[in-house]
Amino acid sequence: MAQSSLCGRLSGEYEIKVSADKCFQFWSLPYHLANVCPKMINKVDLIEGEWGKPGCVIVWDYNFGGERVSVKEKMEVIDYDNKRVEFTAIEGNLLQAFKSFKLIVAFTSKGKGCSSVCSLEYEKLNENIPDPTEILDVVDMDVNKAIEASFN
């Protein structure tokens, strides 16, 4: 990614009262997220490859900012040992504002639950585009809260 004021990285950490293995399973097989977050995520479809395998291509159909939007992403990394997934946007609404956009989610065991670290790496198309802090909040807190609630 080019180095300029248009490039950025945001990270957030959220503690979840669910094991790292269970949380990672939701993110490594993201069609499960539509079941626990039906108000946010309408569906996740596999377009190419195989679920749970690096390189597969998926399309998220979700609600954001009062609108129904979609993004096609390639799951570049699905690291079962380190419980880490990386999604790179290749088509869709996100790329109307960003030249590149990557979501990284990793889980680490912590007591009876885990810690989730979500990071966004991006390059904005221009300086008028705000940093995607709202996207980070939805992914890091709202989706992970829904995962946690599904076990209670």
Side-chain angles (χ1 to χ4, degrees), residues 2 14 24 39 43 52 55 60 67 74 77 86-87 89 94 104 130:
Y14 186 76
F24 175 74
K39 291 181 181 175
K43 64 181 179 171
W60 300 83
E67 293 183 35
K74 186 170 192 175
V77 174
E86 293 184 17
F87 302 86
L94 280 175
I104 303 161

Side-chain angles (χ1 to χ4, degrees), residues 26 32 37 74 107 132 135 150-152:
F26 276 96
H32 289 303
C37 309
K74 186 170 192 175
F107 299 94
I135 295 172
S150 75
F151 287 94
N152 293 330

Side-chain angles (χ1 to χ4, degrees), residues 14-118:
Y14 186 76
E15 293 195 17
I16 307 168
K17 295 177 181 126
V18 176
S19 75
D21 287 331
K22 288 179 181 175
C23 289
F24 175 74
Q25 184 176 6
F26 276 96
W27 284 95
S28 64
L29 301 169
Y31 58 87
H32 289 303
L33 293 173
N35 296 326
V36 296
C37 309
K39 291 181 181 175
M40 291 179 270
I41 301 170
N42 302 307
K43 64 181 179 171
V44 182
D45 291 326
L46 179 68
I47 302 301
E48 184 180 305
E50 187 178 330
W51 285 115
K53 301 284 185 189
C56 68
V57 177
I58 61 174
V59 174
W60 300 83
D61 179 350
Y62 61 100
N63 302 309
F64 186 76
E67 293 183 35
R68 190 168 180 160
V69 294
S70 68
V71 65
K72 183 188 282 188
E73 293 184 318
K74 186 170 192 175
M75 294 183 73
E76 301 278 356
V77 174
I78 304 173
D79 183 339
Y80 288 88
D81 294 331
N82 295 305
K83 296 170 187 58
R84 174 187 164 111
V85 292
E86 293 184 17
F87 302 86
T88 300
I90 55 177
E91 279 181 29
N93 296 76
L94 280 175
L95 298 182
Q96 293 173 359
F98 298 94
K99 181 176 181 180
S100 64
F101 196 93
K102 180 183 278 194
L103 165 65
I104 303 161
V105 185
F107 299 94
T108 306
S109 295
K110 193 169 190 175
K112 293 183 180 181
C114 70
S115 174
S116 165
V117 175
C118 296

